[in-house]
Amino acid sequence: MSLDKTCYDELRRRQHPAAMWWMIGDSAYYLGLLGAVFLGCAARWVQWALWAAGVAVVLFFLGVACKRRAYVLAARDGVRVDDY
């Protein structure tokens, strides 16, 4: 569970468009993080896993960018992310 899930819950309660960005970003973040760790470990035995780990790292940073976009949209409309 994300530490900032309460912020997402507040965005969903307000039906704010930033909730969609948050959800996509959080999913990509954790999928990329776990994928990079597991595939990075598997790269020792399987040649293609190193390439797949690189893709997972890109997915991780894409998730970070989406969550940052959600925070910017929320702040623009007066939803203070730090309060949640």
Side-chain angles (χ1 to χ4, degrees):
M1 178 182 218
S2 295
L3 295 175
D4 58 347
K5 175 126 179 8
T6 55
C7 175
Y8 171 71
D9 292 338
E10 178 63 23
L11 291 171
R12 288 290 297 167
R13 186 184 69 76
R14 295 183 184 200
Q15 297 180 345
H16 197 280
M20 178 193 65
W21 286 102
W22 189 97
M23 184 179 56
I24 292 169
D26 196 58
S27 300
Y29 173 85
Y30 282 110
L31 189 64
L33 181 66
L34 292 174
V37 169
F38 291 134
L39 291 170
C41 294
R44 186 172 177 177
W45 297 285
V46 182
Q47 197 86 34
W48 59 266
L50 188 59
W51 179 83
V55 171
V57 168
V58 169
L59 190 61
F60 169 80
F61 284 110
L62 180 67
V64 170
C66 287
K67 282 186 90 170
R68 183 174 293 151
R69 174 76 175 148
Y71 294 148
V72 167
L73 287 174
R76 182 191 68 191
D77 293 335
V79 179
R80 291 185 40 134
V81 177
D82 297 332
D83 292 344
Y84 302 101

